[in-house]
Amino acid sequence: MTASPLPVADADLTPLNTFGLPARAHRLLALTSVDQLAALAASPEWTLMPRLVLGGGSNLIFSGDFGGTVLKVEIGGRRLVAEDDEAWVVEAGAGESWHEFVRWTLAQGWPGLENLSLIPGTVGAAPIQNIGAYGLEMAERFESLDAMELATGVARVFTAADCAFGYRDSVFKRNPGRRLVTAVRFRLPKHWAPLTRYADVARELEAQGIAQPTALQVSDAVIAIRRRKLPDPALIGNAGSFFKNPVVDAATHARLAAAHPSMPAYLQTDGGVKLAAGWLIEQAGWKGRDLGPVGCYERQALVLVNRGGASGADVRRIAAAIQADVLARFGVQIEPEPVFV
Ligand code: EPU
């Protein structure tokens, strides 16, 4: 067995969350293998300590210090595990960088994840909130995952049905801290066609004069769009979309559409209508506006950014103010997307 990395006492979590919020952990432990996790779960102190599982820290809002052990998942590895006429099944360790994994699959000639290029975070975090972008959700390419029940140390395989994926949602997000994802498998289609319905993607490819894009070209287009619209967390602290796009009933949509004919809206299969929270927030006058050290990003109103020195309380304050204004103006409640700790 490989030696376990030493835990760090009173660790600074500021560099470990992409919003750059100040927080400390009683103890920080890097998890580099499933064996190490199993040994840890068998130790007597295990059941007593509060735990927080951390991947890339790109979807977390720290409100203060964490008085327990933070498990930083660094389990690596990428490999082809199966192949049939329909698909390649590819597995990655939970600690792998999501974007590097996506680009690696494309370099191997396995398409399917290109629309999800440049999403920050780790492979293990991808299924927690069923990441999605540019017309694709991770769930559509998901095969299965391995996760450990933290209270008992029992590991098991989760199928897509077990994960109960929803829009930016899964059984893991609904039960925070209960399980730790160690590896994820994806089913990448051999009969592939580019997914270019999303307006931004179609426009980008057209501007480049590409009519029949390869998966790599779709990935490059997505990267270009994201770089233009979304702040790079390495330069400006943020957690991606801060609010989920709300789904309203047909009557609410009809009322709003009559008053705002240009409002974007997407009909859902269940009859509900998804609205663009970014549009609602922009119309409510928040785009580009700050409240204290947190701002509503000038190029995409759905993203809140750390202008420098922000705390979790500052994030909560602007989020509550935006929610209240959107509710007052449109009668629609918007909900945060990141997990609050
Ligand atoms: N819009 C505005 N003003 C804004 C932002 C958006 O009017 O400031 C309008 C746009 O013009 C468009 C509509 O809202 O008509 C949708 O905008 P966009 O295509 O930028 O996508 P989004 O709904 O704002 C979602 C995801 C993003 C993902 C993009 C692209 C959520 C919460 N967000 O944003 O995901 O990258 O679609 O698919 O679903 C994330 O989850 O962290 C994330 C970045």
Side-chain angles (χ1 to χ4, degrees):
M1 221 171 89
T2 47
S4 303
L6 288 175
V8 179
D10 187 29
D12 184 12
L13 300 176
T14 316
L16 299 183
N17 72 97
T18 61
F19 217 109
L21 300 172
R24 304 194 77 82
H26 176 63
R27 201 159 82 122
L28 174 69
L29 189 58
L31 268 185
T32 53
S33 75
V34 179
D35 287 349
Q36 182 200 353
L37 175 61
L40 199 64
S43 68
E45 57 176 328
W46 175 252
T47 47
L48 300 175
M49 62 181 179
R51 296 171 288 258
L52 173 72
V53 180
L54 190 65
S58 54
N59 205 44
L60 272 184
I61 301 299
F62 282 118
S63 299
D65 296 341
F66 186 72
T69 297
V70 171
L71 300 167
K72 172 97 169 62
V73 183
E74 293 179 359
I75 301 169
R78 308 184 287 218
R79 63 197 179 109
L80 181 71
V81 289
E83 183 178 352
D84 57 27
D85 291 346
E86 300 299 317
W88 294 277
V89 178
V90 181
E91 179 182 276
E96 291 286 339
S97 146
W98 172 262
H99 176 65
E100 282 169 26
F101 171 64
V102 170
R103 294 294 289 192
W104 175 79
T105 57
L106 296 173
Q108 308 303 306
W110 305 328
L113 297 174
E114 55 283 349
N115 292 49
L116 305 179
S117 296
L118 211 62
I119 295 184
T122 57
V123 167
I128 309 295
Q129 59 153 342
N130 182 19
I131 57 172
Y134 306 106
L136 182 73
E137 282 190 350
M138 187 230 59
E140 296 168 71
R141 302 286 187 236
F142 179 85
E143 170 74 7
S144 62
L145 62 76
D146 301 332
M148 182 179 283
E149 202 77 37
L150 288 177
T152 59
V154 174
R156 61 168 271 222
V157 175
F158 284 72
T159 64
D162 296 332
C163 295
F165 292 121
Y167 166 57
R168 294 295 191 278
D169 200 25
S170 73
V171 70
F172 307 104
K173 193 165 177 184
R174 292 190 287 274
N175 299 276
R178 178 157 165 203
R179 304 179 182 96
L180 189 149
V181 174
T182 54
V184 188
R185 285 166 293 276
F186 301 90
R187 172 166 281 270
L188 305 179
K190 289 195 173 172
H191 309 288
W192 171 88
L195 256 171
T196 55
R197 285 180 312 243
Y198 205 91
D200 277 352
V201 178
R203 260 198 303 271
E204 179 69 26
L205 289 166
E206 200 189 304
Q208 293 184 24
I210 302 169
Q212 307 275 318
T214 63
L216 202 55
Q217 286 172 323
V218 174
S219 172
D220 290 342
V222 165
I223 291 171
I225 298 163
R226 291 189 73 100
R227 290 223 166 105
R228 248 193 333 262
K229 284 199 163 179
L230 299 168
D232 178 354
L235 305 174
I236 305 170
N238 76 91
S241 291
F242 195 87
F243 296 100
K244 292 199 243 189
N245 286 326
V247 177
V248 299
D249 58 32
T252 305
H253 170 247
R255 169 178 65 76
L256 290 170
H260 313 278
S262 67
M263 181 183 75
Y266 317 91
L267 186 62
Q268 306 294 290
T269 45
D270 64 0
V273 183
K274 189 182 272 186
L275 305 180
W279 186 90
L280 298 171
I281 294 167
E282 180 172 352
Q283 297 302 309
W286 274 100
K287 192 172 189 169
R289 220 172 112 191
D290 296 354
L291 182 62
V294 183
C296 178
Y297 194 53
E298 42 283 0
R299 282 186 254 161
Q300 162 54 292
L302 206 45
V303 178
L304 299 185
V305 293
N306 186 348
R307 303 276 189 210
S311 68
D314 295 321
V315 177
R316 283 172 187 276
R317 193 172 315 120
I318 186 171
I322 292 172
Q323 281 174 308
D325 283 356
V326 168
L327 184 63
R329 174 120 192 219
F330 298 102
V332 175
Q333 182 72 45
I334 54 172
E335 298 297 342
E337 195 217 74
V339 174
F340 287 77
V341 179

